[in-house]
Amino acid sequence: MLKKFTSLFPLWAVLLSAVAYVYPEYFAPHNNLIVPLLSLIMLGMGVTLSVGSFFAVLKKPYVVILGTLMQYTLMPLAAWTVCLALKLPTDLAAGVILLGCCPGGTASNVICYLAKGDVALSIVLTSVSTMVAFLATPFLTWLFIGQTVDVDVMGMLVSVVNIVIVPVVLGLSINYFFEKRITAVRDVFPAISALAIVVIIAIIIGTNSENLEQSGLLVLVAVILHNGLGLAGGYGVAKAFRLSEKEARTLAIEVGMQNSGLSVALAIKHFTAAAALPGAIFSIWHNLSGAFLAGHWSKKTVPDNDKSERPMKNGHMH
């Protein structure tokens, strides 16, 4: 039942967003819950990680490096290009670029599993980009929008450490020291994360109900373009580097899906409520597009001669 609830996540997000749009007064006052809820999601991510899965993938460091580089080059550049092409107003442009500079999204691991990708690789990529985020996100945001908006790099750095790094490390530690005890409740965490993201989105929609009337459609177009460029770019570059189909699917999903919750929390804290809107709409959209892509890929079998499936000898792929 929990897995079913989690897999229907985009539906809950759309439904609660509609409620928040019609009755913003019930959601808008709870802005202060966004950061604690996001920390809870990050804690859940940490608990589902094991130290072992890291070591398994670190045997293929080049894939991890490529994925992380794409995350922090392709997505910010795509965001910047979309903002220029659509001539977005400053607040919304700041939100889209901040979103592009964020690490991989936690939901990407579930989507990757459904798309028959490499889940261990997906988790490592999300984790590595998340750990790098405390430096990369504030710096890249400053690089791309520092000219038009004051970016508090130091403040953002502290925020990312508090909201992301601390809970993930805490979750990892809990998993490491109490592995036997928490095995039974580990499945609860993805459901809690899904619920927390749905509530975060609803709060942002409620806060921005007036902005949505003016620029909702424009933000949606920006988000669809940004996400599409990430998914296509991730897959295309992976194929250009002759990675296996399984790895290419994983990189497409990892690069295309952002930690939109973090962009929302940072936008609220360091920019404006309107700057949080792209992140909130992205949260809904990238899960819908990801689920659609996973559905398409899950029907297509990964070929038997897939490189990533072959045994590794002496650390080399044959």
Side-chain angles (χ1 to χ4, degrees):
M1 203 169 119
L2 280 172
K3 286 202 171 108
K4 190 84 188 139
F5 171 83
T6 310
S7 66
L8 287 173
F9 160 78
L11 175 68
W12 310 132
V14 172
L15 288 175
L16 201 63
S17 295
V19 174
Y21 181 65
V22 180
Y23 302 105
E25 65 274 15
Y26 295 117
F27 295 91
H30 303 296
N31 255 343
N32 56 339
L33 289 178
I34 291 173
V35 171
L37 282 171
L38 189 67
S39 297
L40 183 69
I41 294 167
M42 288 295 151
L43 179 75
M45 178 182 153
V47 170
T48 54
L49 292 178
S50 74
V51 180
S53 64
F54 278 108
F55 290 126
V57 183
L58 291 179
K59 289 177 182 162
K60 293 190 279 190
Y62 62 94
V63 184
V64 178
I65 293 166
L66 178 66
T68 309
L69 277 175
M70 275 201 280
Q71 182 78 58
Y72 287 120
T73 52
L74 199 68
M75 288 312 267
L77 281 168
W80 186 65
T81 310
V82 166
C83 290
L84 286 181
L86 297 177
K87 299 187 170 67
L88 289 185
T90 311
D91 276 2
L92 296 178
V96 173
I97 286 172
L98 175 58
L99 177 69
C101 298
C102 277
T106 44
S108 62
N109 310 143
V110 181
I111 298 291
C112 182
Y113 169 72
L114 297 172
K116 295 185 176 167
D118 184 334
V119 181
L121 175 63
S122 172
I123 291 171
V124 170
L125 280 167
T126 305
S127 311
V128 170
S129 71
T130 301
M131 295 300 186
V132 175
F134 80 99
L135 287 173
T137 302
F139 174 70
L140 288 167
T141 308
W142 170 79
L143 193 70
F144 280 96
I145 54 169
Q147 298 82 9
T148 43
V149 181
D150 273 339
V151 179
D152 173 15
V153 179
M154 232 15 243
M156 221 185 246
L157 197 137
V158 173
S159 296
V160 179
V161 170
N162 288 340
I163 300 169
V164 178
I165 308 294
V166 174
V168 169
V169 172
L170 188 65
L172 254 170
S173 310
I174 292 170
N175 191 12
Y176 185 74
F177 292 109
F178 305 103
E179 196 171 359
K180 300 270 190 295
R181 287 185 196 170
I182 62 159
T183 306
V185 295
R186 195 175 282 132
D187 280 348
V188 178
F189 282 101
I192 292 173
S193 294
L195 186 66
I197 295 172
V198 169
V199 174
I200 289 175
I201 296 166
I203 293 171
I204 292 301
I205 300 291
T207 310
N208 280 291
S209 55
E210 286 170 19
N211 287 331
L212 265 171
E213 283 166 34
Q214 296 156 4
S215 45
L217 194 66
L218 187 64
V219 176
L220 183 63
V221 171
V223 159
I224 291 173
L225 284 172
H226 185 225
N227 176 236
L229 286 168
L231 293 168
Y235 188 82
V237 173
K239 282 295 187 186
F241 276 87
R242 298 195 170 168
L243 297 186
S244 69
E245 174 64 23
K246 211 169 184 178
E247 289 165 340
R249 288 180 184 187
T250 308
L251 287 185
I253 292 163
E254 275 307 311
V255 175
M257 296 184 74
Q258 298 293 89
N259 187 335
S260 42
L262 179 63
S263 83
V264 162
L266 293 175
I268 287 279
K269 213 165 156 59
H270 300 284
F271 300 122
T272 59
L277 196 56
I281 293 179
F282 195 94
S283 289
I284 302 173
W285 173 256
H286 79 162
N287 284 290
L288 289 171
S289 68
F292 176 76
L293 194 59
H296 169 69
W297 271 336
S298 65
K299 293 185 190 78
K300 290 183 148 189
T301 49
V302 179
D304 287 338
N305 62 351
D306 199 2
K307 282 205 304 254
S308 67
E309 296 303 304
R310 297 188 197 177
M312 289 172 78
K313 292 182 186 169
N314 316 323
H316 296 289
M317 229 177 260
H318 286 261

